[in-house]
Amino acid sequence: MALGRFVLKRALQGIVVVWGVVTVVFGLRFITPGSPINVIAPLDASAETKRAIAQELGLDEPLYVQYADYVVGLLQGDMGYSYISNTQASSQVFARLPATLELAVVATIVAIAISIPLGVLSATRRNEPADYGATLFSLGGISTPNFWLGIMLVLVFAVQLEVFKTSGRGPGFGGALATLLTSGSVDGLLTWLSYITLPAITLGTYFTALVTRLTRSGMLDELGQSYIKAVRAKGLPETLVRYKHALRNTLIPVITVLGLQLGTLIGGAVITEAVFDWPGLGTLVINSITARDWPILQGSLVVIGVGFVLINLAVDTLYAYVNPQVVHE
Amino acid sequence: MISPRTIRNLKAEFRGSALAKLGLCIVVLVVAVAVLAPVLAPHDPTAQNLDRSQLPPVGFSTTTNSTSTEMVNGSLQVVNETTEINATLTYPLGTDSLGRDMLSRVIYGARTSLLVGLLGTGLAAVIGVTVGLVAGYYRGRVDDALMRSADVMLAFPSLVLAIALVGLWGRAAWSVPDPLVVLGITPEMPASFVLPGTVIVVVGLVNWVWFARVARGEALSVREESYIKAARSVGASDSFVIRKHVLPNSATPVLVLATIQIAAIILLESALSFLGFSGTTLSWGFDIAQGRDYLASSWWISTVPGVAIVITVIGINLVGDWLRDALDPGIGGEGGSGGA
């Protein structure tokens, strides 16, 4: 039950943060030079036309009324209408969300699948060639700008070898799965792979490197502890010593850092999308900034902020489950 | 602040670590390149020469195919010509699409990266340490309010927020006279250096949270010490206690974090320039972006500046590892957002 109370408390804090996010996103427009009316109105628009536009968008209302309108709108799922295409901002934002999620999830799964075994290997073979290799890889991985890595991958695998797609998303995982289920053909999955492989490596390398480093140093710390000597002395097989005892305790700080670095993952997704023309939230954000399409920009930022809070809540819950101490602090 | 014991630890750790030595060498080299850019650069990094565009780096050669229509024996014929372009030592790392010297651009790019990294980190540290010390020292509601606002900042990925702020606020830049040119040492080089002002302010504004977290933790642990209570009991003001006692105690972890942050901000700056959100065109990220359009014909335009970033950031990260291992500030290391 203590866990339930802990999660509830974190959820309430999360709501406060979401409110802050919405306020910052709303306030952004007022600390930016230039009026949104100039985005919509034609260059030669008369003063009356501009006034009419302001009135229609509610921009002539006092600040607190605009703020209340915005918050109430958001609560009803209304992010306003795009200044450029005049379609609902929420439908554009949510249409883009699955592509970004797909990219982030695939990159994270691959990163975890590679980095934790690699970190353990590195720690248990300390100062052997495998360890040097892993250390070199992780140092390079955290020091490489991911957009540049993406371009280098394009250069090697697409320009020279012509194996992977470098632009767009293809059918998406959903589409590929549908092909598999309806026709039993794996072609859809292969196409999906040809599109997602390079973006996923681009986004995932930094995390693979980071988690490898954390796992390695954590494992080295844990393997030097006296409880490890005790379980070894009891005759526990080395595999169990490593994976049941040492790794389990290593994962606690790894989870914390992963939660903190979530923003980096989303930021990385934005720039990865820009490199590969991946039709996700990132490209939407960049386009909406260039076009000053406020409803789209604000809606995207709110969704990113809320997503961050939700995932962090999940990470905190997982953390509390692995390490019950935090619940009682 | 920096005690003799700290210096002993730093030296001992340095002697035992080949990676620390490598890191320090790289950092010293990059700083020297940045400071002496006008002297070291063989050409003006902005000088265009279309006759010499897309020259490959030394050791490589490329071929271009040009098709032209010519009159041969009284009839029109399509002539395919393959010309081999050889590298020249005048442009050791080749030239870009406008014939600008890549080596000179990489040398000048080091200035942009380091200055944005240092100034941005400085700004983030000043804001973050102030917020963190105040929050940790006063605790209670002040702490709650400040740390919740830090949580709000964390909910925006720093790259996304930075893109939004630079994109919306404009790409203001400061033109700083280059002392080496003003003094007449290298009169042929650009007379001033463009510092991307908005970018510096924005990277500071989006990255202060990491400093606030570290400084708060230190303040929380120090405030219960008896010498702080003693200082307060003799009437020292809060601001005096924070400045004279709490701040010096957080110096070590802040220093380690700052090193990691310089690397993170250099990556962030390169990402912003890559996306076109910067105030200068002499930047590694900018060159990577302009090389993208020529990947098939001139791979080096994107490749060379990227290698410069990787080497620089590896150097700084190695120095960061050295400081962390020697000083053991207990911040768990990987603070700050990188990988942008």
Side-chain angles (χ1 to χ4, degrees), chain A residues 31 143 146-148 151-152 206 213 261 263-264 267 271 275 289 292 308, chain B residues 154-155 157 159 167-169 271 292 302 306 317 321 334 336-340:
Chain A
I31 53 170
S143 307
N146 56 13
F147 61 91
W148 182 71
I151 290 173
M152 291 299 107
Y206 175 79
R213 262 165 83 96
Q261 292 283 340
T264 314
I271 199 158
V275 173
I289 290 170
R292 300 277 159 131
F308 180 88
Chain B
L154 272 182
L159 178 66
L168 297 171
W169 289 354
R292 262 183 94 183
S302 276
N317 277 329
D321 286 351
E334 317 295 341
S337 60

PDB file of all heavy atoms in Angstrom, chain A residues 31 143 146-148 151-152 206 213 261 263-264 267 271 275 289 292 308, chain B residues 154-155 157 159 167-169 271 292 302 306 317 321 334 336-340:
ATOM      1  N   ILE A  31       6.658  36.254 -24.790  1.00  0.00           N
ATOM      2  CA  ILE A  31       8.032  36.725 -24.674  1.00  0.00           C
ATOM      3  C   ILE A  31       8.727  36.629 -26.031  1.00  0.00           C
ATOM      4  O   ILE A  31       9.932  36.667 -26.132  1.00  0.00           O
ATOM      5  CB  ILE A  31       8.831  35.931 -23.610  1.00  0.00           C
ATOM      6  CG1 ILE A  31       8.733  34.438 -23.866  1.00  0.00           C
ATOM      7  CG2 ILE A  31       8.329  36.249 -22.211  1.00  0.00           C
ATOM      8  CD1 ILE A  31       9.688  33.626 -23.011  1.00  0.00           C
ATOM      9  N   SER A 143      30.152  10.819 -27.215  1.00  0.00           N
ATOM     10  CA  SER A 143      30.805  12.028 -27.716  1.00  0.00           C
ATOM     11  C   SER A 143      30.434  12.351 -29.161  1.00  0.00           C
ATOM     12  O   SER A 143      30.933  13.314 -29.723  1.00  0.00           O
ATOM     13  CB  SER A 143      32.327  11.886 -27.609  1.00  0.00           C
ATOM     14  OG  SER A 143      32.712  11.530 -26.306  1.00  0.00           O
ATOM     15  N   ASN A 146      24.489  12.931 -32.680  1.00  0.00           N
ATOM     16  CA  ASN A 146      23.747  11.873 -33.380  1.00  0.00           C
ATOM     17  C   ASN A 146      23.351  12.247 -34.802  1.00  0.00           C
ATOM     18  O   ASN A 146      23.282  11.386 -35.663  1.00  0.00           O
ATOM     19  CB  ASN A 146      22.568  11.359 -32.551  1.00  0.00           C
ATOM     20  CG  ASN A 146      21.623  12.449 -32.158  1.00  0.00           C
ATOM     21  OD1 ASN A 146      21.688  13.555 -32.680  1.00  0.00           O
ATOM     22  ND2 ASN A 146      20.730  12.148 -31.242  1.00  0.00           N
ATOM     23  N   PHE A 147      23.153  13.558 -35.071  1.00  0.00           N
ATOM     24  CA  PHE A 147      22.793  13.913 -36.441  1.00  0.00           C
ATOM     25  C   PHE A 147      23.955  13.610 -37.392  1.00  0.00           C
ATOM     26  O   PHE A 147      23.754  13.177 -38.525  1.00  0.00           O
ATOM     27  CB  PHE A 147      22.381  15.388 -36.545  1.00  0.00           C
ATOM     28  CG  PHE A 147      23.445  16.369 -36.150  1.00  0.00           C
ATOM     29  CD1 PHE A 147      24.312  16.868 -37.094  1.00  0.00           C
ATOM     30  CD2 PHE A 147      23.579  16.790 -34.839  1.00  0.00           C
ATOM     31  CE1 PHE A 147      25.293  17.768 -36.742  1.00  0.00           C
ATOM     32  CE2 PHE A 147      24.557  17.697 -34.475  1.00  0.00           C
ATOM     33  CZ  PHE A 147      25.429  18.187 -35.436  1.00  0.00           C
ATOM     34  N   TRP A 148      25.173  13.792 -36.901  1.00  0.00           N
ATOM     35  CA  TRP A 148      26.346  13.502 -37.743  1.00  0.00           C
ATOM     36  C   TRP A 148      26.474  11.991 -37.958  1.00  0.00           C
ATOM     37  O   TRP A 148      26.742  11.530 -39.068  1.00  0.00           O
ATOM     38  CB  TRP A 148      27.614  14.065 -37.099  1.00  0.00           C
ATOM     39  CG  TRP A 148      28.852  13.840 -37.919  1.00  0.00           C
ATOM     40  CD1 TRP A 148      29.163  14.455 -39.101  1.00  0.00           C
ATOM     41  CD2 TRP A 148      29.930  12.937 -37.633  1.00  0.00           C
ATOM     42  NE1 TRP A 148      30.375  13.988 -39.561  1.00  0.00           N
ATOM     43  CE2 TRP A 148      30.868  13.057 -38.690  1.00  0.00           C
ATOM     44  CE3 TRP A 148      30.187  12.039 -36.588  1.00  0.00           C
ATOM     45  CZ2 TRP A 148      32.044  12.314 -38.721  1.00  0.00           C
ATOM     46  CZ3 TRP A 148      31.359  11.314 -36.627  1.00  0.00           C
ATOM     47  CH2 TRP A 148      32.271  11.439 -37.681  1.00  0.00           C
ATOM     48  N   ILE A 151      24.165  11.046 -40.627  1.00  0.00           N
ATOM     49  CA  ILE A 151      24.632  11.388 -41.973  1.00  0.00           C
ATOM     50  C   ILE A 151      25.725  10.418 -42.421  1.00  0.00           C
ATOM     51  O   ILE A 151      25.762   9.989 -43.576  1.00  0.00           O
ATOM     52  CB  ILE A 151      25.127  12.847 -42.000  1.00  0.00           C
ATOM     53  CG1 ILE A 151      23.929  13.775 -41.845  1.00  0.00           C
ATOM     54  CG2 ILE A 151      25.857  13.157 -43.287  1.00  0.00           C
ATOM     55  CD1 ILE A 151      24.295  15.213 -41.688  1.00  0.00           C
ATOM     56  N   MET A 152      26.596  10.032 -41.481  1.00  0.00           N
ATOM     57  CA  MET A 152      27.648   9.072 -41.835  1.00  0.00           C
ATOM     58  C   MET A 152      27.036   7.723 -42.197  1.00  0.00           C
ATOM     59  O   MET A 152      27.494   7.043 -43.125  1.00  0.00           O
ATOM     60  CB  MET A 152      28.638   8.907 -40.670  1.00  0.00           C
ATOM     61  CG  MET A 152      29.501  10.123 -40.394  1.00  0.00           C
ATOM     62  SD  MET A 152      30.543  10.594 -41.797  1.00  0.00           S
ATOM     63  CE  MET A 152      29.719  12.064 -42.370  1.00  0.00           C
ATOM     64  N   TYR A 206      23.754   6.873 -28.589  1.00  0.00           N
ATOM     65  CA  TYR A 206      24.119   7.625 -27.393  1.00  0.00           C
ATOM     66  C   TYR A 206      23.660   6.872 -26.141  1.00  0.00           C
ATOM     67  O   TYR A 206      24.394   6.754 -25.167  1.00  0.00           O
ATOM     68  CB  TYR A 206      23.494   9.019 -27.446  1.00  0.00           C
ATOM     69  CG  TYR A 206      23.713   9.825 -26.191  1.00  0.00           C
ATOM     70  CD1 TYR A 206      24.927  10.459 -25.965  1.00  0.00           C
ATOM     71  CD2 TYR A 206      22.712   9.936 -25.222  1.00  0.00           C
ATOM     72  CE1 TYR A 206      25.143  11.190 -24.810  1.00  0.00           C
ATOM     73  CE2 TYR A 206      22.924  10.662 -24.073  1.00  0.00           C
ATOM     74  CZ  TYR A 206      24.136  11.286 -23.869  1.00  0.00           C
ATOM     75  OH  TYR A 206      24.340  11.995 -22.718  1.00  0.00           O
ATOM     76  N   ARG A 213      28.324   2.446 -20.080  1.00  0.00           N
ATOM     77  CA  ARG A 213      29.210   3.068 -19.093  1.00  0.00           C
ATOM     78  C   ARG A 213      28.672   2.908 -17.680  1.00  0.00           C
ATOM     79  O   ARG A 213      29.402   2.536 -16.761  1.00  0.00           O
ATOM     80  CB  ARG A 213      29.319   4.568 -19.387  1.00  0.00           C
ATOM     81  CG  ARG A 213      30.529   4.979 -20.165  1.00  0.00           C
ATOM     82  CD  ARG A 213      30.335   6.373 -20.691  1.00  0.00           C
ATOM     83  NE  ARG A 213      30.663   7.407 -19.704  1.00  0.00           N
ATOM     84  CZ  ARG A 213      31.854   8.022 -19.644  1.00  0.00           C
ATOM     85  NH1 ARG A 213      32.799   7.686 -20.475  1.00  0.00           N
ATOM     86  NH2 ARG A 213      32.082   8.965 -18.762  1.00  0.00           N
ATOM     87  N   GLN A 261      17.436  11.205 -18.305  1.00  0.00           N
ATOM     88  CA  GLN A 261      17.913  11.445 -19.659  1.00  0.00           C
ATOM     89  C   GLN A 261      16.813  11.335 -20.708  1.00  0.00           C
ATOM     90  O   GLN A 261      17.079  11.416 -21.902  1.00  0.00           O
ATOM     91  CB  GLN A 261      19.042  10.456 -20.003  1.00  0.00           C
ATOM     92  CG  GLN A 261      20.295  10.684 -19.216  1.00  0.00           C
ATOM     93  CD  GLN A 261      21.085  11.872 -19.740  1.00  0.00           C
ATOM     94  OE1 GLN A 261      20.896  12.289 -20.872  1.00  0.00           O
ATOM     95  NE2 GLN A 261      21.940  12.434 -18.911  1.00  0.00           N
ATOM     96  N   GLY A 263      14.589  13.382 -21.537  1.00  0.00           N
ATOM     97  CA  GLY A 263      14.528  14.584 -22.360  1.00  0.00           C
ATOM     98  C   GLY A 263      15.510  14.504 -23.510  1.00  0.00           C
ATOM     99  O   GLY A 263      15.221  14.925 -24.633  1.00  0.00           O
ATOM    100  N   THR A 264      16.699  13.941 -23.213  1.00  0.00           N
ATOM    101  CA  THR A 264      17.707  13.794 -24.259  1.00  0.00           C
ATOM    102  C   THR A 264      17.199  12.856 -25.344  1.00  0.00           C
ATOM    103  O   THR A 264      17.449  13.067 -26.528  1.00  0.00           O
ATOM    104  CB  THR A 264      19.003  13.233 -23.661  1.00  0.00           C
ATOM    105  OG1 THR A 264      19.280  13.949 -22.466  1.00  0.00           O
ATOM    106  CG2 THR A 264      20.147  13.388 -24.614  1.00  0.00           C
ATOM    107  N   GLY A 267      14.709  14.879 -27.353  1.00  0.00           N
ATOM    108  CA  GLY A 267      15.462  15.859 -28.136  1.00  0.00           C
ATOM    109  C   GLY A 267      16.216  15.185 -29.272  1.00  0.00           C
ATOM    110  O   GLY A 267      16.253  15.677 -30.404  1.00  0.00           O
ATOM    111  N   ILE A 271      16.003  15.633 -33.671  1.00  0.00           N
ATOM    112  CA  ILE A 271      17.032  15.885 -34.675  1.00  0.00           C
ATOM    113  C   ILE A 271      17.208  14.675 -35.598  1.00  0.00           C
ATOM    114  O   ILE A 271      17.475  14.814 -36.793  1.00  0.00           O
ATOM    115  CB  ILE A 271      18.355  16.319 -34.010  1.00  0.00           C
ATOM    116  CG1 ILE A 271      19.241  17.007 -35.034  1.00  0.00           C
ATOM    117  CG2 ILE A 271      19.068  15.183 -33.353  1.00  0.00           C
ATOM    118  CD1 ILE A 271      20.259  17.907 -34.420  1.00  0.00           C
ATOM    119  N   VAL A 275      17.037  14.551 -39.748  1.00  0.00           N
ATOM    120  CA  VAL A 275      18.013  13.962 -40.659  1.00  0.00           C
ATOM    121  C   VAL A 275      17.326  13.011 -41.646  1.00  0.00           C
ATOM    122  O   VAL A 275      17.654  12.975 -42.826  1.00  0.00           O
ATOM    123  CB  VAL A 275      19.118  13.217 -39.880  1.00  0.00           C
ATOM    124  CG1 VAL A 275      20.041  12.452 -40.824  1.00  0.00           C
ATOM    125  CG2 VAL A 275      19.929  14.195 -39.039  1.00  0.00           C
ATOM    126  N   ILE A 289       7.893  26.113 -35.872  1.00  0.00           N
ATOM    127  CA  ILE A 289       8.677  27.270 -35.421  1.00  0.00           C
ATOM    128  C   ILE A 289       8.987  28.169 -36.603  1.00  0.00           C
ATOM    129  O   ILE A 289       8.814  29.383 -36.560  1.00  0.00           O
ATOM    130  CB  ILE A 289       9.989  26.810 -34.753  1.00  0.00           C
ATOM    131  CG1 ILE A 289       9.691  26.151 -33.418  1.00  0.00           C
ATOM    132  CG2 ILE A 289      10.923  27.999 -34.550  1.00  0.00           C
ATOM    133  CD1 ILE A 289      10.878  25.463 -32.825  1.00  0.00           C
ATOM    134  N   ARG A 292       5.989  29.949 -37.589  1.00  0.00           N
ATOM    135  CA  ARG A 292       5.293  30.637 -36.488  1.00  0.00           C
ATOM    136  C   ARG A 292       3.855  30.143 -36.341  1.00  0.00           C
ATOM    137  O   ARG A 292       2.948  30.926 -36.127  1.00  0.00           O
ATOM    138  CB  ARG A 292       5.259  32.157 -36.721  1.00  0.00           C
ATOM    139  CG  ARG A 292       6.600  32.786 -36.830  1.00  0.00           C
ATOM    140  CD  ARG A 292       7.137  33.066 -35.455  1.00  0.00           C
ATOM    141  NE  ARG A 292       8.588  33.192 -35.513  1.00  0.00           N
ATOM    142  CZ  ARG A 292       9.271  34.172 -34.970  1.00  0.00           C
ATOM    143  NH1 ARG A 292       8.643  35.086 -34.293  1.00  0.00           N
ATOM    144  NH2 ARG A 292      10.562  34.204 -35.046  1.00  0.00           N
ATOM    145  N   PHE A 308       6.685  13.334 -21.161  1.00  0.00           N
ATOM    146  CA  PHE A 308       7.840  13.257 -20.269  1.00  0.00           C
ATOM    147  C   PHE A 308       7.399  12.965 -18.838  1.00  0.00           C
ATOM    148  O   PHE A 308       7.952  12.092 -18.169  1.00  0.00           O
ATOM    149  CB  PHE A 308       8.612  14.573 -20.340  1.00  0.00           C
ATOM    150  CG  PHE A 308       9.821  14.605 -19.465  1.00  0.00           C
ATOM    151  CD1 PHE A 308      11.031  14.150 -19.944  1.00  0.00           C
ATOM    152  CD2 PHE A 308       9.752  15.089 -18.171  1.00  0.00           C
ATOM    153  CE1 PHE A 308      12.158  14.180 -19.141  1.00  0.00           C
ATOM    154  CE2 PHE A 308      10.876  15.119 -17.361  1.00  0.00           C
ATOM    155  CZ  PHE A 308      12.074  14.655 -17.848  1.00  0.00           C
TER     156      PHE A 308
ATOM    157  N   LEU B 154      12.847  20.519 -16.850  1.00  0.00           N
ATOM    158  CA  LEU B 154      13.296  19.189 -17.275  1.00  0.00           C
ATOM    159  C   LEU B 154      12.302  18.531 -18.221  1.00  0.00           C
ATOM    160  O   LEU B 154      12.672  17.671 -19.015  1.00  0.00           O
ATOM    161  CB  LEU B 154      13.502  18.291 -16.057  1.00  0.00           C
ATOM    162  CG  LEU B 154      14.866  18.321 -15.390  1.00  0.00           C
ATOM    163  CD1 LEU B 154      14.887  17.338 -14.241  1.00  0.00           C
ATOM    164  CD2 LEU B 154      15.959  17.976 -16.377  1.00  0.00           C
ATOM    165  N   ALA B 155      11.014  18.917 -18.100  1.00  0.00           N
ATOM    166  CA  ALA B 155       9.992  18.279 -18.932  1.00  0.00           C
ATOM    167  C   ALA B 155      10.118  18.705 -20.393  1.00  0.00           C
ATOM    168  O   ALA B 155       9.531  18.080 -21.266  1.00  0.00           O
ATOM    169  CB  ALA B 155       8.592  18.596 -18.410  1.00  0.00           C
ATOM    170  N   PRO B 157      12.661  18.810 -23.377  1.00  0.00           N
ATOM    171  CA  PRO B 157      14.011  18.399 -23.781  1.00  0.00           C
ATOM    172  C   PRO B 157      14.813  19.647 -24.132  1.00  0.00           C
ATOM    173  O   PRO B 157      14.289  20.546 -24.799  1.00  0.00           O
ATOM    174  CB  PRO B 157      13.763  17.565 -25.026  1.00  0.00           C
ATOM    175  CG  PRO B 157      12.330  17.222 -25.028  1.00  0.00           C
ATOM    176  CD  PRO B 157      11.628  18.253 -24.236  1.00  0.00           C
ATOM    177  N   LEU B 159      17.105  20.340 -26.204  1.00  0.00           N
ATOM    178  CA  LEU B 159      17.236  20.660 -27.629  1.00  0.00           C
ATOM    179  C   LEU B 159      15.945  21.270 -28.171  1.00  0.00           C
ATOM    180  O   LEU B 159      15.969  22.259 -28.901  1.00  0.00           O
ATOM    181  CB  LEU B 159      17.611  19.412 -28.439  1.00  0.00           C
ATOM    182  CG  LEU B 159      17.720  19.653 -29.939  1.00  0.00           C
ATOM    183  CD1 LEU B 159      18.870  20.580 -30.266  1.00  0.00           C
ATOM    184  CD2 LEU B 159      17.877  18.351 -30.706  1.00  0.00           C
ATOM    185  N   GLY B 167      14.621  29.845 -32.489  1.00  0.00           N
ATOM    186  CA  GLY B 167      13.768  30.037 -33.662  1.00  0.00           C
ATOM    187  C   GLY B 167      12.845  31.223 -33.487  1.00  0.00           C
ATOM    188  O   GLY B 167      12.583  31.974 -34.422  1.00  0.00           O
ATOM    189  N   LEU B 168      12.348  31.406 -32.248  1.00  0.00           N
ATOM    190  CA  LEU B 168      11.370  32.463 -32.026  1.00  0.00           C
ATOM    191  C   LEU B 168      12.025  33.809 -31.728  1.00  0.00           C
ATOM    192  O   LEU B 168      11.528  34.851 -32.121  1.00  0.00           O
ATOM    193  CB  LEU B 168      10.440  32.085 -30.864  1.00  0.00           C
ATOM    194  CG  LEU B 168       9.579  30.832 -31.097  1.00  0.00           C
ATOM    195  CD1 LEU B 168       8.881  30.424 -29.826  1.00  0.00           C
ATOM    196  CD2 LEU B 168       8.558  31.068 -32.198  1.00  0.00           C
ATOM    197  N   TRP B 169      13.155  33.781 -31.028  1.00  0.00           N
ATOM    198  CA  TRP B 169      13.777  35.048 -30.617  1.00  0.00           C
ATOM    199  C   TRP B 169      14.687  35.631 -31.682  1.00  0.00           C
ATOM    200  O   TRP B 169      15.162  36.754 -31.536  1.00  0.00           O
ATOM    201  CB  TRP B 169      14.577  34.855 -29.322  1.00  0.00           C
ATOM    202  CG  TRP B 169      13.714  34.640 -28.133  1.00  0.00           C
ATOM    203  CD1 TRP B 169      12.356  34.722 -28.103  1.00  0.00           C
ATOM    204  CD2 TRP B 169      14.131  34.323 -26.803  1.00  0.00           C
ATOM    205  NE1 TRP B 169      11.904  34.449 -26.832  1.00  0.00           N
ATOM    206  CE2 TRP B 169      12.975  34.208 -26.019  1.00  0.00           C
ATOM    207  CE3 TRP B 169      15.368  34.122 -26.200  1.00  0.00           C
ATOM    208  CZ2 TRP B 169      13.013  33.897 -24.663  1.00  0.00           C
ATOM    209  CZ3 TRP B 169      15.404  33.812 -24.854  1.00  0.00           C
ATOM    210  CH2 TRP B 169      14.236  33.698 -24.093  1.00  0.00           C
ATOM    211  N   ALA B 271      24.120  20.881 -32.848  1.00  0.00           N
ATOM    212  CA  ALA B 271      22.787  20.470 -33.312  1.00  0.00           C
ATOM    213  C   ALA B 271      21.983  21.688 -33.763  1.00  0.00           C
ATOM    214  O   ALA B 271      21.315  21.655 -34.800  1.00  0.00           O
ATOM    215  CB  ALA B 271      22.043  19.728 -32.207  1.00  0.00           C
ATOM    216  N   ARG B 292      25.574  18.047 -46.430  1.00  0.00           N
ATOM    217  CA  ARG B 292      24.560  17.011 -46.669  1.00  0.00           C
ATOM    218  C   ARG B 292      24.120  16.952 -48.115  1.00  0.00           C
ATOM    219  O   ARG B 292      23.825  15.894 -48.656  1.00  0.00           O
ATOM    220  CB  ARG B 292      23.311  17.323 -45.837  1.00  0.00           C
ATOM    221  CG  ARG B 292      23.213  16.580 -44.573  1.00  0.00           C
ATOM    222  CD  ARG B 292      21.921  16.950 -43.934  1.00  0.00           C
ATOM    223  NE  ARG B 292      20.883  16.007 -44.277  1.00  0.00           N
ATOM    224  CZ  ARG B 292      19.633  16.149 -43.887  1.00  0.00           C
ATOM    225  NH1 ARG B 292      19.277  17.183 -43.189  1.00  0.00           N
ATOM    226  NH2 ARG B 292      18.742  15.242 -44.193  1.00  0.00           N
ATOM    227  N   SER B 302      30.792  17.050 -44.999  1.00  0.00           N
ATOM    228  CA  SER B 302      30.088  16.700 -43.765  1.00  0.00           C
ATOM    229  C   SER B 302      30.969  15.926 -42.796  1.00  0.00           C
ATOM    230  O   SER B 302      30.803  16.021 -41.584  1.00  0.00           O
ATOM    231  CB  SER B 302      28.858  15.832 -44.079  1.00  0.00           C
ATOM    232  OG  SER B 302      27.767  16.632 -44.427  1.00  0.00           O
ATOM    233  N   GLY B 306      32.529  16.851 -38.437  1.00  0.00           N
ATOM    234  CA  GLY B 306      32.015  15.885 -37.460  1.00  0.00           C
ATOM    235  C   GLY B 306      33.143  15.232 -36.691  1.00  0.00           C
ATOM    236  O   GLY B 306      33.061  15.047 -35.465  1.00  0.00           O
ATOM    237  N   ASN B 317      35.261  14.935 -22.357  1.00  0.00           N
ATOM    238  CA  ASN B 317      34.698  13.860 -21.532  1.00  0.00           C
ATOM    239  C   ASN B 317      35.787  13.110 -20.759  1.00  0.00           C
ATOM    240  O   ASN B 317      35.574  12.701 -19.612  1.00  0.00           O
ATOM    241  CB  ASN B 317      33.897  12.878 -22.395  1.00  0.00           C
ATOM    242  CG  ASN B 317      32.480  13.376 -22.656  1.00  0.00           C
ATOM    243  OD1 ASN B 317      31.902  14.081 -21.820  1.00  0.00           O
ATOM    244  ND2 ASN B 317      31.928  13.038 -23.798  1.00  0.00           N
ATOM    245  N   ASP B 321      36.016  12.651 -16.830  1.00  0.00           N
ATOM    246  CA  ASP B 321      36.183  11.367 -16.129  1.00  0.00           C
ATOM    247  C   ASP B 321      37.327  11.454 -15.128  1.00  0.00           C
ATOM    248  O   ASP B 321      37.231  10.939 -14.009  1.00  0.00           O
ATOM    249  CB  ASP B 321      36.495  10.248 -17.136  1.00  0.00           C
ATOM    250  CG  ASP B 321      35.262   9.840 -17.928  1.00  0.00           C
ATOM    251  OD1 ASP B 321      34.162  10.299 -17.571  1.00  0.00           O
ATOM    252  OD2 ASP B 321      35.415   9.072 -18.890  1.00  0.00           O
ATOM    253  N   GLU B 334      26.909  11.093 -14.801  1.00  0.00           N
ATOM    254  CA  GLU B 334      26.263  11.499 -16.044  1.00  0.00           C
ATOM    255  C   GLU B 334      25.219  12.589 -15.876  1.00  0.00           C
ATOM    256  O   GLU B 334      24.094  12.449 -16.317  1.00  0.00           O
ATOM    257  CB  GLU B 334      25.635  10.286 -16.725  1.00  0.00           C
ATOM    258  CG  GLU B 334      26.504   9.049 -16.709  1.00  0.00           C
ATOM    259  CD  GLU B 334      27.777   9.220 -17.512  1.00  0.00           C
ATOM    260  OE1 GLU B 334      27.845  10.128 -18.352  1.00  0.00           O
ATOM    261  OE2 GLU B 334      28.723   8.451 -17.265  1.00  0.00           O
ATOM    262  N   GLY B 336      23.471  16.102 -16.766  1.00  0.00           N
ATOM    263  CA  GLY B 336      23.428  16.948 -17.943  1.00  0.00           C
ATOM    264  C   GLY B 336      22.990  16.160 -19.145  1.00  0.00           C
ATOM    265  O   GLY B 336      23.091  14.942 -19.181  1.00  0.00           O
ATOM    266  N   SER B 337      22.498  16.876 -20.098  1.00  0.00           N
ATOM    267  CA  SER B 337      21.985  16.189 -21.259  1.00  0.00           C
ATOM    268  C   SER B 337      22.992  16.329 -22.369  1.00  0.00           C
ATOM    269  O   SER B 337      23.541  17.389 -22.600  1.00  0.00           O
ATOM    270  CB  SER B 337      20.662  16.804 -21.671  1.00  0.00           C
ATOM    271  OG  SER B 337      20.861  18.156 -21.964  1.00  0.00           O
ATOM    272  N   GLY B 338      23.288  15.261 -23.005  1.00  0.00           N
ATOM    273  CA  GLY B 338      24.231  15.306 -24.116  1.00  0.00           C
ATOM    274  C   GLY B 338      23.630  14.629 -25.314  1.00  0.00           C
ATOM    275  O   GLY B 338      22.434  14.461 -25.406  1.00  0.00           O
ATOM    276  N   GLY B 339      24.486  14.235 -26.194  1.00  0.00           N
ATOM    277  CA  GLY B 339      24.037  13.431 -27.327  1.00  0.00           C
ATOM    278  C   GLY B 339      23.099  14.134 -28.276  1.00  0.00           C
ATOM    279  O   GLY B 339      22.460  13.508 -29.101  1.00  0.00           O
ATOM    280  N   ALA B 340      23.021  15.430 -28.148  1.00  0.00           N
ATOM    281  CA  ALA B 340      22.065  16.141 -28.979  1.00  0.00           C
ATOM    282  C   ALA B 340      22.370  15.937 -30.445  1.00  0.00           C
ATOM    283  O   ALA B 340      23.499  15.781 -30.821  1.00  0.00           O
ATOM    284  CB  ALA B 340      22.120  17.619 -28.672  1.00  0.00           C
TER     285      ALA B 340
END
